[in-house]
Structures are given as structure tokens and as C-alpha cells.
């Protein structure tokens, strides 16, 4: 299996990137020959702005831009996708959302042109979400943010495309300076991702 781990954080020394690395190490530490690739959207300079060329592709009037096609090709080589992100305003950062806006396009991630409803095209791609937040568990539950993120991301994006979300992890109270426990959780998550039934190569 091959896992693509996508991060979105401007600081390469941030806990977000460390968590992503530990997930990758957990995946490759198993005996099944699993591989992991890290994609740092900030360092790679991905443009998250949905533009006129993207709209032309969405409407099937022209091919999608080259950077979108390159990202889709990278995902076509992938069995599992892990998104690791700091929680900004109770969702993912704009850079990661823009990556989804542009890459998970009509005709590739789903098809709504058949007249028979939406055809979900990403059933082969298993999803794992890892959000890092500063608030504590009590705040998340009190304000209903866990359910809100589930609706926005799991249902609103990945269920629409047919990509099953196999795990959703929140690493909370990340501002207290105790990173080691989160890194241990990340490593264990990587090991679990590599051995899940849904991780079988396609």
C-alpha cells in the first residue's frame, strides 16, 4: 500500500509537520512493505485559488490545469490519504481546503453529469483525518465542534466522492507544550493505517 500524507502549515518546525512525519514512520515501520509520501502544500507552493481555468475544467470546456492534473495523478498512485492540519476556525486551513476545491474535481472525484445523480468515483481511496487543536475536549463537546467538523469534512467532502473515512483523530490542547504524547499517538496511528483492511492495495 502507498499512503499520501498531506499537511498545511506555514512553519516547517510546527507540531503539524512532526505529527505527519511520525505517522509516516509508523506506516513504514510495519512489515508489510507499506510506503508513505509527505506532501507539504505550503513548501510546495500549491496555489489554492479556484480560478477560471478550474471552472472551465469543471464545466468540461477545457482540460484541468497542469498542477491539478499532477495532484490527481499523485492521488491515483495512492491507497490511503491522510490529512494532517491545524484546526483554524473549526475547520482545515484555507490552503488545504483550496487543494480539495481544485483537485477533487468534477469528472475525477465525482461525476454529476449523468442525469442519474452523483456518481462517486473515489471508493478506492481510504481517508484518515488528523486535526490539531488548542482547545480541550470539554470545549469541543460543549460547542458541538466534533459534529460540525464531521459534517463539513467527512460528509460534505469525502462521502460525496465515495471515499470512506476510516479514522478521524483530534490531537487537542496542543499549545501546552507536551508534544510527546501526540507524537506517540501519531506513530501508533501510522501503524494502524498500514494494517487496516481498507488499506489493501488497489
Amino acid at each position: 500500500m502507498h499512503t499520501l500524507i498531506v499537511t498545511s502549515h506555514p512553519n516547517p518546525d510546527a507540531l503539524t509537520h512532526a505529527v505527519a512525519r511520525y505517522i509516516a514512520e509508523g506506516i513504514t515501520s510495519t512489515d508489510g512493505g507499506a510506503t508513505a509520501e509527505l506532501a507539504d502544500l505550503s513548501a510546495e507552493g500549491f496555489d489554492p485559488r479556484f480560478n477560471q481555468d478550474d471552472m472551465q475544467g469543471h464545466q468540461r470546456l477545457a482540460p484541468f490545469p497542469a498542477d491539478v492534473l499532477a495532484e490527481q495523478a499523485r492521488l491515483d498512485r495512492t491507497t490511503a490519504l491522510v490529512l494532517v492540519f491545524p484546526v483554524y476556525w473549526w475547520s482545515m486551513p484555507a490552503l488545504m481546503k483550496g487543494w480539495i476545491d481544485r483537485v477533487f474535481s468534477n469528472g475525477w472525484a465525482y461525476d454529476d453529469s449523468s442525469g442519474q445523480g452523483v456518481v462517486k468515483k473515489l471508493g478506492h481511496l481510504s481517508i484518515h483525518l488528523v486535526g490539531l487543536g488548542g482547545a480541550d475536549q470539554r470545549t469541543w463537546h460543549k460547542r458541538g465542534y466534533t459534529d460540525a467538523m464531521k459534517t463539513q469534512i467527512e460528509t460534505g467532502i469525502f462521502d460525496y466522492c465515495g471515499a470512506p473515512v476510516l479514522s478521524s483523530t483530534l490531537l487537542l490542547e496542543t499549545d501546552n507544550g507536551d508534544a510527546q504524547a501526540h507524537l506517540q499517538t501519531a506513530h501508533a496511528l501510522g501503524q494502524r493505517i498500514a494494517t487496516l483492511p481498507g488499506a489493501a492495495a488497489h
Side-chain angles (χ1 to χ4, degrees):
M1 68 163 286
H2 180 66
T3 300
L4 178 64
I5 304 170
V6 179
T7 58
S8 174
H9 197 294
N11 181 2
D13 297 323
L15 180 60
T16 298
H17 293 293
V19 165
R21 290 193 298 272
Y22 269 71
I23 292 172
E25 290 172 10
I27 290 170
T28 57
S29 70
T30 61
D31 296 328
T35 58
E37 175 185 356
L38 291 167
D40 179 348
L41 297 177
S42 183
E44 292 178 1
F46 182 82
D47 186 351
R49 295 172 298 177
F50 190 90
N51 57 46
Q52 181 63 25
D53 290 337
D54 295 311
M55 181 60 71
Q56 293 281 306
H58 176 78
Q59 296 173 338
R60 308 190 183 217
L61 299 175
F64 282 101
D67 59 344
V68 169
L69 295 175
E71 293 300 302
Q72 291 173 347
R74 180 151 67 170
L75 284 164
D76 285 337
R77 299 189 295 268
T78 296
T79 309
L81 170 64
V82 184
L83 300 184
V84 184
F85 56 93
V87 177
Y88 291 171
W89 293 106
W90 309 108
S91 188
M92 60 180 63
L95 175 55
M96 181 170 283
K97 179 57 165 57
W99 180 76
I100 291 172
D101 288 347
R102 298 190 64 211
V103 174
F104 284 65
S105 61
N106 182 28
W108 180 79
Y110 64 93
D111 192 333
D112 63 2
S113 65
S114 67
Q116 305 297 318
V118 176
V119 176
K120 303 181 179 189
K121 303 188 73 171
L122 295 185
H124 63 279
L125 185 66
S126 60
I127 307 297
H128 302 271
L129 306 172
V130 182
L132 287 80
D136 58 22
Q137 192 73 47
R138 177 179 174 275
T139 300
W140 279 82
H141 288 312
K142 177 181 178 182
R143 302 300 183 188
Y145 293 128
T146 303
D147 290 340
M149 287 186 66
K150 182 179 179 68
T151 299
Q152 289 179 63
I153 300 173
E154 294 185 37
T155 302
I157 298 171
F158 295 111
D159 182 65
Y160 191 83
C161 301
V165 177
L166 299 190
S167 71
S168 185
T169 304
L170 284 172
L171 304 177
L172 299 178
E173 299 183 77
T174 55
D175 297 331
N176 64 12
D178 184 17
Q180 195 56 43
H182 294 317
L183 297 179
Q184 291 174 352
T185 298
H187 191 273
L189 175 61
Q191 291 179 315
R192 191 159 66 251
I193 288 171
T195 57
L196 284 172
H202 61 282

